[in-house]
Short mmCIF file of all heavy atoms in Angstrom, two decimals:
data_model
loop_
_atom_site.label_atom_id
_atom_site.label_comp_id
_atom_site.label_asym_id
_atom_site.label_seq_id
_atom_site.Cartn_x
_atom_site.Cartn_y
_atom_site.Cartn_z
N GLU A 29 90.58 88.34 31.53
CA GLU A 29 91.02 87.47 32.67
C GLU A 29 92.05 86.31 32.10
O GLU A 29 93.00 86.17 32.88
CB GLU A 29 89.73 86.81 33.20
CG GLU A 29 89.89 86.38 34.54
CD GLU A 29 88.49 86.04 35.07
OE1 GLU A 29 87.48 86.72 34.90
OE2 GLU A 29 88.51 84.98 35.82
N ARG A 30 91.64 85.76 30.96
CA ARG A 30 92.59 84.60 30.60
C ARG A 30 93.98 85.13 30.02
O ARG A 30 94.84 84.53 30.21
CB ARG A 30 91.86 83.93 29.46
CG ARG A 30 92.62 82.75 29.01
CD ARG A 30 92.63 81.60 30.03
NE ARG A 30 93.64 80.59 29.53
CZ ARG A 30 94.57 80.14 30.35
NH1 ARG A 30 94.69 80.48 31.68
NH2 ARG A 30 95.36 79.32 30.01
N GLY A 31 93.80 86.38 29.50
CA GLY A 31 95.13 86.99 28.93
C GLY A 31 96.15 87.14 30.04
O GLY A 31 97.30 86.88 30.05
N SER A 32 95.85 87.81 31.17
CA SER A 32 96.72 87.95 32.30
C SER A 32 97.12 86.66 32.83
O SER A 32 98.23 86.52 33.37
CB SER A 32 96.17 88.92 33.24
OG SER A 32 94.77 88.46 33.75
N ALA A 33 96.17 85.71 33.01
CA ALA A 33 96.58 84.46 33.44
C ALA A 33 97.61 83.78 32.63
O ALA A 33 98.64 83.09 33.09
CB ALA A 33 95.39 83.51 33.65
N MET A 34 97.49 83.86 31.32
CA MET A 34 98.40 83.17 30.34
C MET A 34 99.75 83.92 30.49
O MET A 34 100.79 83.29 30.32
CB MET A 34 97.90 83.42 28.86
CG MET A 34 96.69 82.52 28.61
SD MET A 34 95.95 82.86 26.97
CE MET A 34 97.28 82.55 25.81
N ALA A 35 99.67 85.22 30.74
CA ALA A 35 101.00 85.99 30.92
C ALA A 35 101.72 85.44 32.23
O ALA A 35 103.00 85.15 32.13
CB ALA A 35 100.83 87.48 31.02
N VAL A 36 101.01 85.25 33.25
CA VAL A 36 101.59 84.63 34.44
C VAL A 36 102.17 83.24 34.21
O VAL A 36 103.30 82.94 34.50
CB VAL A 36 100.68 84.73 35.59
CG1 VAL A 36 101.06 83.73 36.77
CG2 VAL A 36 100.30 85.98 36.03
N GLU A 37 101.32 82.41 33.52
CA GLU A 37 101.76 80.96 33.19
C GLU A 37 103.12 81.00 32.31
O GLU A 37 104.00 80.20 32.49
CB GLU A 37 100.61 80.26 32.49
CG GLU A 37 99.51 80.00 33.56
CD GLU A 37 98.29 79.71 32.85
OE1 GLU A 37 98.09 79.53 31.53
OE2 GLU A 37 97.18 79.60 33.52
N HIS A 38 103.01 81.94 31.33
CA HIS A 38 104.29 82.03 30.50
C HIS A 38 105.57 82.46 31.30
O HIS A 38 106.56 81.85 31.21
CB HIS A 38 103.98 83.02 29.33
CG HIS A 38 105.18 83.23 28.49
ND1 HIS A 38 105.69 82.27 27.65
CD2 HIS A 38 106.02 84.35 28.44
CE1 HIS A 38 106.79 82.86 26.99
NE2 HIS A 38 106.97 84.05 27.50
N LEU A 39 105.46 83.44 32.13
CA LEU A 39 106.57 83.90 32.89
C LEU A 39 106.93 82.70 33.84
O LEU A 39 108.27 82.57 34.07
CB LEU A 39 106.25 85.19 33.61
CG LEU A 39 106.12 86.43 32.89
CD1 LEU A 39 105.51 87.55 33.73
CD2 LEU A 39 107.30 86.87 32.13
N ARG A 40 106.14 81.98 34.47
CA ARG A 40 106.51 80.91 35.32
C ARG A 40 107.18 79.84 34.63
O ARG A 40 107.99 79.29 35.08
CB ARG A 40 105.26 80.37 36.12
CG ARG A 40 104.77 81.45 37.16
CD ARG A 40 103.80 81.00 38.10
NE ARG A 40 104.29 79.77 38.78
CZ ARG A 40 105.12 79.77 39.90
NH1 ARG A 40 105.60 80.81 40.46
NH2 ARG A 40 105.38 78.57 40.48
N SER A 41 106.71 79.58 33.40
CA SER A 41 107.37 78.51 32.46
C SER A 41 108.79 78.87 32.16
O SER A 41 109.58 78.05 31.92
CB SER A 41 106.45 78.28 31.27
OG SER A 41 106.64 79.34 30.26
N LEU A 42 109.09 80.21 32.28
CA LEU A 42 110.46 80.65 31.96
C LEU A 42 111.30 80.67 33.25
O LEU A 42 112.55 81.11 33.25
CB LEU A 42 110.47 81.95 31.38
CG LEU A 42 109.68 82.16 30.02
CD1 LEU A 42 109.66 83.62 29.50
CD2 LEU A 42 110.55 81.31 28.95
N GLY A 43 110.66 80.31 34.43
CA GLY A 43 111.43 80.21 35.66
C GLY A 43 111.19 81.37 36.51
O GLY A 43 111.70 81.30 37.67
N HIS A 44 110.35 82.38 36.19
CA HIS A 44 110.13 83.49 37.05
C HIS A 44 109.11 83.14 38.25
O HIS A 44 108.20 82.33 37.82
CB HIS A 44 109.61 84.58 36.22
CG HIS A 44 110.43 85.14 35.20
ND1 HIS A 44 111.50 85.91 35.47
CD2 HIS A 44 110.39 84.99 33.87
CE1 HIS A 44 112.10 86.33 34.27
NE2 HIS A 44 111.56 85.61 33.41
N ARG A 45 109.36 83.61 39.36
CA ARG A 45 108.51 83.26 40.42
C ARG A 45 107.94 84.47 41.18
O ARG A 45 106.80 84.43 41.61
CB ARG A 45 109.25 82.43 41.50
CG ARG A 45 109.76 80.96 41.01
CD ARG A 45 108.45 80.20 40.69
NE ARG A 45 108.91 78.86 40.04
CZ ARG A 45 108.75 78.58 38.74
NH1 ARG A 45 108.38 79.46 37.85
NH2 ARG A 45 109.14 77.46 38.31
N ALA A 46 108.63 85.50 41.17
CA ALA A 46 108.12 86.90 41.75
C ALA A 46 107.59 87.58 40.68
O ALA A 46 108.34 88.26 39.89
CB ALA A 46 109.22 87.47 42.32
N ILE A 47 106.32 87.52 40.37
CA ILE A 47 105.71 88.16 39.24
C ILE A 47 104.55 89.23 39.88
O ILE A 47 103.80 88.83 40.70
CB ILE A 47 104.94 87.09 38.40
CG1 ILE A 47 105.86 86.07 37.87
CG2 ILE A 47 104.23 87.79 37.21
CD1 ILE A 47 105.29 84.86 37.23
N GLY A 48 104.74 90.45 39.50
CA GLY A 48 103.96 91.45 39.95
C GLY A 48 102.86 91.84 39.03
O GLY A 48 102.87 91.40 37.90
N TYR A 49 101.88 92.59 39.42
CA TYR A 49 100.68 93.16 38.57
C TYR A 49 100.63 94.63 38.88
O TYR A 49 100.63 94.99 39.94
CB TYR A 49 99.45 92.43 38.97
CG TYR A 49 98.33 93.00 38.25
CD1 TYR A 49 97.86 92.54 36.92
CD2 TYR A 49 97.67 93.95 38.97
CE1 TYR A 49 96.85 93.22 36.46
CE2 TYR A 49 96.43 94.49 38.31
CZ TYR A 49 96.08 94.10 37.03
OH TYR A 49 94.87 94.64 36.46
N VAL A 50 100.62 95.39 37.91
CA VAL A 50 100.30 96.81 37.85
C VAL A 50 99.25 97.04 36.90
O VAL A 50 99.43 96.79 35.81
CB VAL A 50 101.68 97.74 37.57
CG1 VAL A 50 101.27 99.20 37.61
CG2 VAL A 50 102.74 97.45 38.59
N GLY A 51 98.17 97.65 37.28
CA GLY A 51 97.02 97.91 36.48
C GLY A 51 96.10 98.90 37.05
O GLY A 51 96.30 99.37 38.09
N LEU A 52 95.16 99.38 36.22
CA LEU A 52 94.23 100.26 36.68
C LEU A 52 93.41 99.78 37.84
O LEU A 52 93.33 98.72 38.04
CB LEU A 52 93.27 100.70 35.51
CG LEU A 52 93.86 101.34 34.14
CD1 LEU A 52 92.78 101.44 33.09
CD2 LEU A 52 94.43 102.70 34.52
N ALA A 53 93.00 100.79 38.69
CA ALA A 53 92.21 100.43 39.85
C ALA A 53 90.96 99.66 39.37
O ALA A 53 90.56 99.99 38.37
CB ALA A 53 91.84 101.63 40.63
N ALA A 54 90.55 98.81 40.26
CA ALA A 54 89.44 97.90 39.80
C ALA A 54 88.06 98.66 39.76
O ALA A 54 87.14 98.31 40.37
CB ALA A 54 89.34 96.77 40.73
N GLU A 55 88.06 99.80 39.02
CA GLU A 55 86.73 100.54 38.88
C GLU A 55 85.98 100.07 37.63
O GLU A 55 84.93 100.42 37.50
CB GLU A 55 87.02 102.02 38.82
CG GLU A 55 87.69 102.47 40.11
CD GLU A 55 88.08 103.99 39.94
OE1 GLU A 55 88.00 104.54 38.93
OE2 GLU A 55 88.67 104.48 40.93
N THR A 56 86.67 99.34 36.68
CA THR A 56 85.85 98.86 35.51
C THR A 56 85.98 97.38 35.53
O THR A 56 86.80 96.73 36.22
CB THR A 56 86.64 99.40 34.25
OG1 THR A 56 87.93 98.85 34.16
CG2 THR A 56 86.71 100.86 34.19
N ASP A 57 85.03 96.78 34.81
CA ASP A 57 84.95 95.35 34.71
C ASP A 57 86.23 94.79 34.13
O ASP A 57 86.71 93.74 34.60
CB ASP A 57 83.76 94.92 33.87
CG ASP A 57 83.66 93.46 33.84
OD1 ASP A 57 83.55 92.86 34.86
OD2 ASP A 57 83.54 92.85 32.70
N THR A 58 86.71 95.44 33.09
CA THR A 58 87.99 94.97 32.48
C THR A 58 89.12 94.90 33.37
O THR A 58 89.92 94.05 33.50
CB THR A 58 88.38 95.84 31.30
OG1 THR A 58 87.35 95.87 30.30
CG2 THR A 58 89.57 95.43 30.56
N ALA A 59 89.40 96.11 34.17
CA ALA A 59 90.37 95.97 35.17
C ALA A 59 90.19 94.99 36.27
O ALA A 59 91.28 94.29 36.56
CB ALA A 59 90.50 97.47 35.73
N ARG A 60 89.10 94.76 36.68
CA ARG A 60 88.71 93.78 37.74
C ARG A 60 89.10 92.34 37.21
O ARG A 60 89.59 91.55 37.98
CB ARG A 60 87.28 93.76 38.21
CG ARG A 60 87.13 94.79 39.26
CD ARG A 60 85.65 94.72 39.74
NE ARG A 60 84.54 94.95 38.86
CZ ARG A 60 84.06 96.18 38.46
NH1 ARG A 60 84.61 97.24 39.11
NH2 ARG A 60 83.26 96.27 37.62
N ARG A 61 88.71 92.10 35.92
CA ARG A 61 89.08 90.77 35.36
C ARG A 61 90.45 90.52 35.08
O ARG A 61 90.90 89.41 35.26
CB ARG A 61 88.15 90.67 33.94
CG ARG A 61 86.61 90.59 34.30
CD ARG A 61 85.71 90.36 33.05
NE ARG A 61 86.38 90.01 31.93
CZ ARG A 61 86.11 90.51 30.78
NH1 ARG A 61 85.17 91.46 30.64
NH2 ARG A 61 86.61 90.14 29.67
N ARG A 62 91.16 91.50 34.60
CA ARG A 62 92.57 91.44 34.47
C ARG A 62 93.32 90.98 35.80
O ARG A 62 94.15 90.16 35.92
CB ARG A 62 93.21 92.65 33.93
CG ARG A 62 92.94 92.83 32.50
CD ARG A 62 93.65 94.20 31.95
NE ARG A 62 93.22 94.31 30.59
CZ ARG A 62 93.06 95.54 30.03
NH1 ARG A 62 93.36 96.57 30.72
NH2 ARG A 62 92.83 95.69 28.72
N GLU A 63 93.00 91.79 36.73
CA GLU A 63 93.56 91.40 38.02
C GLU A 63 93.13 90.13 38.60
O GLU A 63 94.01 89.40 39.14
CB GLU A 63 93.12 92.60 39.17
CG GLU A 63 93.90 92.36 40.50
CD GLU A 63 93.59 93.49 41.52
OE1 GLU A 63 93.01 94.51 41.06
OE2 GLU A 63 93.87 93.21 42.71
N GLN A 64 91.83 89.66 38.47
CA GLN A 64 91.44 88.45 38.80
C GLN A 64 92.27 87.27 38.06
O GLN A 64 92.52 86.30 38.57
CB GLN A 64 90.00 88.23 38.58
CG GLN A 64 89.41 86.88 39.06
CD GLN A 64 89.78 86.71 40.56
OE1 GLN A 64 89.49 87.50 41.44
NE2 GLN A 64 90.27 85.52 40.87
N GLY A 65 92.49 87.61 36.85
CA GLY A 65 93.30 86.56 35.97
C GLY A 65 94.73 86.38 36.66
O GLY A 65 95.25 85.13 36.74
N TYR A 66 95.23 87.50 37.00
CA TYR A 66 96.59 87.48 37.55
C TYR A 66 96.50 86.70 38.82
O TYR A 66 97.38 85.86 39.20
CB TYR A 66 97.13 88.88 37.83
CG TYR A 66 98.24 88.92 38.92
CD1 TYR A 66 99.53 88.57 38.42
CD2 TYR A 66 98.05 89.36 40.13
CE1 TYR A 66 100.65 88.73 39.46
CE2 TYR A 66 98.92 89.37 41.09
CZ TYR A 66 100.19 89.09 40.74
OH TYR A 66 101.30 89.15 41.65
N ARG A 67 95.45 87.14 39.82
CA ARG A 67 95.38 86.50 41.14
C ARG A 67 95.16 84.97 41.05
O ARG A 67 95.67 84.18 41.76
CB ARG A 67 94.34 87.22 41.85
CG ARG A 67 94.68 88.54 42.36
CD ARG A 67 93.68 89.10 43.26
NE ARG A 67 94.13 90.34 43.62
CZ ARG A 67 94.94 90.76 44.60
NH1 ARG A 67 95.56 89.63 45.16
NH2 ARG A 67 95.31 91.91 44.88
N SER A 68 94.29 84.52 40.06
CA SER A 68 93.87 83.23 39.93
C SER A 68 95.17 82.36 39.48
O SER A 68 95.39 81.27 40.07
CB SER A 68 92.81 83.02 38.88
OG SER A 68 91.62 83.61 39.33
N ALA A 69 95.92 82.89 38.60
CA ALA A 69 97.05 82.19 38.10
C ALA A 69 98.10 82.06 39.13
O ALA A 69 98.78 81.03 39.34
CB ALA A 69 97.81 82.82 36.87
N MET A 70 98.32 83.20 39.88
CA MET A 70 99.35 83.14 41.09
C MET A 70 98.90 82.14 42.09
O MET A 70 99.64 81.47 42.65
CB MET A 70 99.58 84.57 41.53
CG MET A 70 100.30 85.41 40.63
SD MET A 70 101.88 84.87 40.01
CE MET A 70 102.88 85.14 41.54
N ALA A 71 97.61 82.22 42.39
CA ALA A 71 97.09 81.35 43.52
C ALA A 71 97.12 79.81 43.04
O ALA A 71 97.64 79.00 43.90
CB ALA A 71 95.57 81.60 43.79
N ALA A 72 97.03 79.52 41.82
CA ALA A 72 97.02 78.16 41.32
C ALA A 72 98.63 77.81 41.40
O ALA A 72 99.00 76.61 41.76
CB ALA A 72 96.67 78.05 39.92
N ALA A 73 99.44 78.67 41.09
CA ALA A 73 100.88 78.37 41.24
C ALA A 73 101.47 78.16 42.58
O ALA A 73 102.38 77.33 42.84
CB ALA A 73 101.71 79.46 40.53
N ARG A 74 100.89 78.97 43.61
CA ARG A 74 101.25 78.92 44.88
C ARG A 74 100.43 78.08 45.67
O ARG A 74 100.85 77.71 46.90
CB ARG A 74 101.24 80.33 45.56
CG ARG A 74 102.29 81.26 45.06
CD ARG A 74 102.38 82.47 46.02
NE ARG A 74 101.20 83.31 45.96
CZ ARG A 74 101.04 84.51 45.45
NH1 ARG A 74 102.00 85.08 44.84
NH2 ARG A 74 99.87 85.09 45.43
N GLY A 75 99.28 77.81 45.26
CA GLY A 75 98.33 76.96 46.09
C GLY A 75 97.58 77.89 47.03
O GLY A 75 96.82 77.29 47.96
N ARG A 76 97.65 79.12 46.95
CA ARG A 76 96.90 79.99 47.81
C ARG A 76 96.68 81.49 47.03
O ARG A 76 97.50 81.70 46.07
CB ARG A 76 97.55 80.30 49.07
CG ARG A 76 98.96 80.90 49.22
CD ARG A 76 99.47 81.03 50.39
NE ARG A 76 100.69 81.70 50.40
CZ ARG A 76 100.99 83.04 50.39
NH1 ARG A 76 99.89 83.85 50.31
NH2 ARG A 76 102.15 83.52 50.30
N SER A 77 95.88 82.29 47.62
CA SER A 77 95.68 83.60 47.09
C SER A 77 96.27 84.60 48.16
O SER A 77 96.06 84.40 49.30
CB SER A 77 94.33 83.86 46.77
OG SER A 77 94.10 85.13 46.43
N ASP A 78 96.86 85.60 47.70
CA ASP A 78 97.45 86.68 48.64
C ASP A 78 96.68 88.01 48.36
O ASP A 78 97.25 88.85 47.66
CB ASP A 78 98.95 86.72 48.48
CG ASP A 78 99.61 87.55 49.50
OD1 ASP A 78 98.92 88.04 50.30
OD2 ASP A 78 100.93 87.74 49.50
N ARG A 79 95.51 88.07 48.84
CA ARG A 79 94.79 89.28 48.57
C ARG A 79 95.41 90.50 49.25
O ARG A 79 95.21 91.56 48.67
CB ARG A 79 93.37 89.23 49.09
CG ARG A 79 92.66 88.10 48.30
CD ARG A 79 91.23 88.20 48.19
NE ARG A 79 90.60 89.47 47.82
CZ ARG A 79 90.38 89.78 46.57
NH1 ARG A 79 90.78 89.09 45.64
NH2 ARG A 79 90.00 91.09 46.32
N ALA A 80 96.17 90.40 50.28
CA ALA A 80 96.82 91.51 50.96
C ALA A 80 97.87 92.20 50.16
O ALA A 80 98.35 93.26 50.42
CB ALA A 80 97.32 91.11 52.31
N ALA A 81 98.33 91.56 49.10
CA ALA A 81 99.41 92.01 48.26
C ALA A 81 99.07 93.18 47.39
O ALA A 81 99.86 93.92 47.00
CB ALA A 81 100.08 90.96 47.47
N ALA A 82 97.65 93.25 47.05
CA ALA A 82 97.23 94.34 46.31
C ALA A 82 96.93 95.62 47.13
O ALA A 82 96.30 95.47 48.20
CB ALA A 82 96.03 93.95 45.65
N ARG A 83 97.42 96.75 46.59
CA ARG A 83 97.31 97.97 47.30
C ARG A 83 97.18 99.00 46.22
O ARG A 83 97.85 98.88 45.23
CB ARG A 83 98.20 98.12 48.31
CG ARG A 83 99.66 98.25 47.71
CD ARG A 83 100.70 98.01 48.73
NE ARG A 83 102.02 98.09 48.22
CZ ARG A 83 102.64 97.23 47.47
NH1 ARG A 83 101.93 96.03 47.24
NH2 ARG A 83 103.74 97.25 47.00
N PRO A 84 96.49 100.24 46.46
CA PRO A 84 96.59 101.24 45.61
C PRO A 84 98.04 101.83 45.52
O PRO A 84 98.76 101.73 46.59
CB PRO A 84 95.74 102.37 46.21
CG PRO A 84 94.95 101.65 47.07
CD PRO A 84 95.58 100.42 47.64
N SER A 85 98.51 102.09 44.39
CA SER A 85 99.91 102.51 44.18
C SER A 85 100.02 103.91 44.79
O SER A 85 99.24 104.87 44.67
CB SER A 85 100.20 102.62 42.68
OG SER A 85 101.44 103.37 42.59
N SER A 86 101.10 104.07 45.56
CA SER A 86 101.33 105.49 46.16
C SER A 86 102.01 106.47 45.09
O SER A 86 101.91 107.59 45.27
CB SER A 86 102.27 105.43 47.35
OG SER A 86 103.54 104.71 47.04
N ALA A 87 102.64 105.78 44.00
CA ALA A 87 103.19 106.64 43.05
C ALA A 87 102.21 107.37 42.06
O ALA A 87 102.36 108.49 41.74
CB ALA A 87 104.14 105.78 42.15
N ASP A 88 101.21 106.62 41.78
CA ASP A 88 100.22 107.12 40.78
C ASP A 88 98.88 106.74 41.13
O ASP A 88 98.48 105.57 41.28
CB ASP A 88 100.39 106.61 39.41
CG ASP A 88 101.69 106.95 38.73
OD1 ASP A 88 102.03 108.22 38.87
OD2 ASP A 88 102.34 106.16 38.16
N GLU A 89 97.91 107.69 41.62
CA GLU A 89 96.57 107.27 41.99
C GLU A 89 95.92 106.67 40.80
O GLU A 89 96.16 106.86 39.69
CB GLU A 89 95.82 108.55 42.40
CG GLU A 89 96.28 109.07 43.75
CD GLU A 89 95.25 110.17 44.18
OE1 GLU A 89 94.07 110.08 43.94
OE2 GLU A 89 95.72 111.09 44.90
N GLY A 90 95.07 105.74 41.08
CA GLY A 90 94.29 105.07 40.11
C GLY A 90 94.95 103.72 39.62
O GLY A 90 94.38 103.13 38.81
N LEU A 91 96.03 103.34 40.20
CA LEU A 91 96.59 102.06 39.95
C LEU A 91 96.66 101.12 40.96
O LEU A 91 96.59 101.55 42.12
CB LEU A 91 98.06 102.35 39.41
CG LEU A 91 98.33 103.18 38.18
CD1 LEU A 91 99.88 103.23 38.02
CD2 LEU A 91 97.78 102.52 36.96
N THR A 92 96.65 99.95 40.67
CA THR A 92 96.70 98.83 41.71
C THR A 92 98.02 98.12 41.50
O THR A 92 98.41 97.85 40.38
CB THR A 92 95.59 97.89 41.53
OG1 THR A 92 94.20 98.65 41.69
CG2 THR A 92 95.68 96.71 42.40
N VAL A 93 98.70 97.81 42.50
CA VAL A 93 99.90 97.08 42.48
C VAL A 93 99.84 95.85 43.23
O VAL A 93 99.40 95.89 44.37
CB VAL A 93 101.06 98.00 43.03
CG1 VAL A 93 102.50 97.20 43.10
CG2 VAL A 93 101.21 99.29 42.28
N ALA A 94 100.19 94.69 42.75
CA ALA A 94 100.15 93.41 43.36
C ALA A 94 101.41 92.74 43.22
O ALA A 94 102.07 92.80 42.03
CB ALA A 94 98.93 92.62 42.97
N ALA A 95 101.84 91.95 44.09
CA ALA A 95 103.06 91.06 44.00
C ALA A 95 102.89 89.99 44.78
O ALA A 95 102.09 89.82 45.58
CB ALA A 95 104.25 91.95 44.32
#
């Protein structure tokens, strides 16, 4: 969780604002925690959470894409 949040924070410190997430579908605890770290950091940066942005990838089953 903290690693993906740190990645978002680092990218934002470099001036990036449109930061996406591509990861395994949230079927494992690790995948859920990674996505949650991304979402938490993005919510903190924006002041809100955008849960509708995550969706299964149409390109590869089993992936989650969030932006």
Side-chain angles (χ1 to χ4, degrees):
E29 207 170 313
R30 184 68 193 134
S32 54
M34 288 173 62
V36 168
E37 292 162 7
H38 174 70
L39 291 170
R40 290 195 53 88
S41 76
L42 296 174
H44 298 281
R45 296 298 175 253
I47 303 166
Y49 171 85
V50 177
L52 296 175
E55 295 175 359
T56 66
D57 184 55
T58 300
R60 281 188 292 276
R61 290 180 17 224
R62 284 181 183 149
E63 185 176 344
Q64 183 56 46
Y66 161 80
R67 289 186 179 285
S68 295
M70 291 300 289
R74 287 193 297 249
R76 63 180 182 83
S77 178
D78 190 358
R79 296 207 49 87
R83 62 199 179 282
S85 170
S86 60
D88 295 314
E89 282 191 38
L91 293 180
T92 297
V93 179

